[in-house]
Amino acid sequence: MEIDYDVERVRKTLSTQEFYDRFSNYDEVQGHCKDCPRYDTNYSCSPIEDDPREYILNYDYVDIIKTQIFFKKEDYTRDYSKEEFDSIIDNTFHREREITVAQIKEEEASMTHAMSIIGPCNVCASDCKKQYDKCLHPEIRRYSLASLGIDSQKILKEVFGIELILLSKHLPKYMNNLTTLLYSK
């Protein structure tokens, strides 16, 4: 199902030290991760083998890209079947996330010391920890913000001035995705 929507992408740059100090909340974020069915099934999902602090501070800067999708009032107040709802999410949120991820991967490839946080990785299998003793492709594995213990909700509020709206049975007024790029100049 297709509906009209607007999209806004905004980029903010912080030092990795500020990013880590302000938004790392490992224990609380991991508490939420433990409720996920993917917990401890994928090498890019929680818990991870790398030390999140060292991983992030191995770079100097982080660009945080907020992709925000806005729906029209008649669309977010309407009732949808599960199939319609899932189709809308695929044709809006997932489509726009893929566009942002492709752009960030292209930027990452053009830099000498950069790593995107676009996880979770599904290169081998979504449940790769159950199938392999170790990550088969650590050079292309990409973590998620949550697996690094980074509080996305706090980033949305403090950096972009918006609240996280969780999906329920109705489309929210807007949906967000955070994509990040760690790099050194």
Side-chain angles (χ1 to χ4, degrees), residues 33-124:
C33 287
K34 288 178 182 174
D35 294 334
C36 178
R38 292 185 70 162
Y39 184 78
D40 207 17
T41 63
N42 186 301
Y43 287 107
S44 70
C45 287
S46 299
I48 61 171
E49 296 170 351
D50 288 321
D51 176 334
R53 183 179 190 281
E54 284 182 33
Y55 185 84
I56 291 169
L57 297 181
N58 184 41
Y59 301 90
D60 298 323
Y61 301 98
V62 60
D63 281 3
I64 308 165
I65 301 88
K66 173 202 61 147
T67 303
Q68 190 169 26
I69 297 167
F70 300 92
F71 299 105
K72 293 177 178 31
K73 186 173 183 176
E74 61 269 16
D75 293 323
Y76 70 76
T77 57
R78 190 175 151 213
D79 287 326
Y80 297 97
S81 69
K82 179 174 179 2
E83 294 77 23
E84 288 173 323
F85 188 82
D86 291 347
S87 176
I88 290 169
I89 300 303
D90 284 343
N91 291 322
T92 60
F93 181 78
H94 292 139
R95 175 188 296 157
E96 296 300 333
R97 181 185 184 284
E98 287 175 13
I99 290 168
T100 304
V101 165
Q103 292 169 346
I104 293 303
K105 286 171 107 177
E106 196 172 296
E107 283 183 52
E108 176 189 334
S110 72
M111 299 174 156
T112 56
H113 186 62
M115 185 66 68
S116 54
I117 302 175
I118 56 172
C121 175
N122 290 310
V123 172
C124 303

